[in-house]
Amino acid sequence: MPLALLALAISAFGIGTTEFVIMGLLPEVAGDFSVSIPTAGLLISGYALGVVVGGPLLTVLGTRIPRKGMLLMLMGLFIAGNLVSAVAPAFGLLMVGRILAAFAHGAFFGIGSVVAADLVAPQKRAGAIALMFTGLTAANVLGVPMGTLLGQHFGWRSTFYVVAALGVIGFAGIAALVPVQRRAEGARLGPELAVFRRPQIWLALTMTVFGWGGIFAMFTYITPMMTEMAGFADTSVTWLLLLFGIGLFVGNLLGGWFADRALMRSLYVILAVLAVLLFAFTFASHSKAGAIITIPLIGLFGFATVAPLQKRVMDQAAGAPTLASAANIAAFNLGNALSAWLGGLVISAGLGYDAPNWVGGLLTVAALGVALLSGTLERREAKGAARVVARGAAAEQAVTAGR
C-alpha cells in the first residue's frame, strides 16, 4: 500500500476525533455556555446535518479542482472549523465551527475514497479505502477517549486545539505524500450528476442508509443499555466503548479484504450476521457477560460494511465516482440520524432501552433485502449483455459463412 494512504488515514483520524469527541465533552460545554445538555447535544445534530449537506455541495463546487488540491482545501477548512470551535465566545459560534468542520468531513471522505482507490491496483481498491477509514476507526479507539480525557482535565477548548493540530499534520502529509496528478482530475459536473440516473446507485445508497443505520441504532443508546439493564457502573462504559472500537478497527480491515475478493457475497454475509447479532443483543444487553461478548462482534461486523458499501457506490458510478462517493458519506450520516430518531421513538413509546436493537436489526434486514435485489438485477443485466454479445457473434459468423 502506498505511503500516501497514511496521510489520508491521519487526516481521517483527526476528522473522526472531532466528530465523536463532543459526545464526551457535552457536560463541560453545557456548563461553560450555561445551556442544557440537550441543547449542547444539538452540536452533534448540527455536525451530522453539515456532513449530509456539505459533502455533496463542496464536491460539486470543487468539480474543476484537482483532487489533491481539493483535499488540501478541505483540510484547511477542517483546521479553521476546529480553531473557531476552540476560541468560540458563544454557543452559536461554536455551532458554526462544528458545521465548518462537518462540511470538510463529507467531501473529504468522498474524494479521499476515490484518491485512495486510484493509488492501488484495481483488485486492492477496497483494501485501500478500508486503510483510509482505519483513521476513523482509530479515532473511536484512541482519539475520542484521549480527547475526552484532555478536555476534562484542561478544558474542552484544549481538545479542539489538539484536533486542529492533527489537521495540520494531515495537511502536511497530503501535500508531501499524495502524488501530483499528471492532469487535472477535478470531476466534471455533468457526468457526475448523470450517474444518479443509474438505479444501482440509488440501491447502493439505500444499502448504506439502512446498513449503517442498523449499527448506529444500537450505538446511540449503548450507555443507558449498559447502565440501566446490564448493571454496569457509569465508569465501565469507557472500556466497553473501547471493546466496541477494537471491533470497528478489525472489522474495517477485514471488510476491505473480503470486498476485494467478492464484494456482494461479502455484503450478504456481513449484513446477515450483523442482523442476527443486533437481534441477539436485545437479550444479551441484560447480561454483563453477554454484553462483553456481543459488543465487539457488533462493532466488527458493523464496520466491516463500510469499505464494501463505499466501493459498491464507486463501482456503480464508474467513470464519474467523486460526487456519488461524497453522497454515500452523506448516506452514512443520514443513517445515523434516522436510526437515532427511530431508536428514540421506541424508547419514548415505553418499549425499553433494548428496543433500539430491534430497530437496528430490522434496518439491517432491510439493507440485506436491498443488497439481494441489487445483486439479482446486476446478474440479470450481465446475462442480458452476454446474450446480446452472443447474438452479435453468431450473426457475424453467419455473414462470414455466407461469403
Side-chain angles (χ1 to χ4, degrees):
M1 290 291 178
L3 195 59
L5 290 174
L6 177 61
L8 296 176
I10 291 172
S11 301
F13 179 83
I15 293 172
T17 299
T18 205
E19 177 182 16
F20 294 112
V21 77
I22 192 66
M23 297 176 183
L25 299 176
L26 286 184
E28 287 76 17
V29 171
D32 197 8
F33 291 114
S34 300
V35 299
S36 66
I37 293 290
T39 299
L42 294 175
L43 295 168
I44 299 171
S45 302
Y47 189 97
L49 183 61
V51 175
V52 172
V53 175
L57 177 62
L58 284 184
T59 302
V60 168
L61 294 177
T63 51
R64 296 187 179 276
I65 301 174
R67 289 178 184 138
K68 177 177 178 176
M70 191 62 187
L71 287 177
L72 291 172
M73 289 178 61
L74 291 170
M75 288 310 297
L77 180 61
F78 172 77
I79 294 165
N82 281 282
L83 288 176
V84 168
S85 297
V87 303
F91 184 79
L93 194 56
L94 175 56
M95 179 67 81
V96 170
R98 292 284 293 165
I99 292 174
L100 284 176
F103 268 42
H105 177 134
F108 180 88
F109 280 106
I111 297 171
S113 295
V114 177
V115 172
D118 285 347
L119 289 171
V120 299
Q123 69 273 17
K124 295 183 179 180
R125 286 179 175 173
I129 295 169
L131 191 56
M132 184 191 74
F133 274 95
T134 297
L136 186 59
T137 59
N140 283 279
V141 178
L142 299 175
V144 172
M146 292 175 65
T148 301
L149 189 65
L150 181 69
Q152 289 172 345
H153 284 79
F154 299 99
W156 62 268
R157 296 177 189 275
S158 65
T159 300
F160 287 102
Y161 280 121
V162 170
V163 172
L166 287 173
V168 172
I169 295 172
F171 182 97
I174 292 171
L177 299 176
V178 173
V180 176
Q181 295 156 337
R182 295 180 182 177
R183 61 183 178 85
E185 285 200 56
R188 290 183 295 120
L189 184 56
E192 293 287 336
L193 290 173
V195 300
F196 288 94
R197 298 174 186 168
R198 305 173 188 175
Q200 287 285 8
I201 289 290
W202 291 103
L203 289 173
L205 293 174
T206 303
M207 269 190 277
T208 296
V209 172
F210 289 158
W212 184 244
I215 186 175
F216 215 79
M218 165 267 188
F219 183 56
T220 301
Y221 301 99
I222 189 172
T223 297
M225 284 185 210
M226 295 299 93
T227 57
E228 298 294 329
M229 296 189 313
F232 283 103
D234 292 345
T235 54
S236 298
V237 174
T238 300
W239 65 264
L240 288 172
L241 291 178
L242 179 61
L243 285 178
F244 184 74
I246 292 171
L248 295 183
F249 187 87
V250 175
N252 176 55
L253 296 177
L254 290 178
W257 190 86
F258 282 110
D260 274 328
R261 285 149 181 80
L263 192 149
M264 290 306 291
R265 279 183 289 174
S266 296
L267 273 177
Y268 299 153
V269 173
I270 292 168
L271 289 171
V273 175
L274 179 59
V276 171
L277 286 170
L278 287 168
F279 286 132
F281 195 55
T282 306
F283 308 100
S285 59
H286 292 264
S287 158
K288 288 184 179 180
I292 291 171
I293 293 171
T294 313
I295 284 174
L297 290 175
I298 292 176
L300 190 154
F301 282 93
F303 222 89
T305 64
V306 172
L309 289 171
Q310 189 71 7
K311 186 172 185 294
R312 177 66 176 176
V313 168
M314 292 166 57
D315 286 349
Q316 297 306 313
T322 307
L323 182 56
S325 181
N328 200 46
I329 301 301
F332 278 112
N333 282 268
L334 183 58
N336 292 354
L338 174 66
S339 60
W341 175 66
L342 291 174
L345 282 183
V346 295
I347 290 174
S348 298
L351 299 178
Y353 284 118
D354 56 355
N357 295 313
W358 285 102
V359 172
L362 291 172
L363 286 173
T364 306
V365 169
L368 177 59
V370 175
L372 291 169
L373 173 62
S374 178
T376 299
L377 292 176
E378 188 173 51
R379 287 191 296 273
R380 287 179 180 175
E381 291 169 2
K383 289 180 181 178
R387 283 195 293 268
V388 170
V389 171
R391 289 170 184 167
E396 185 176 350
Q397 287 178 353
V399 171
T400 301
R403 290 175 183 170

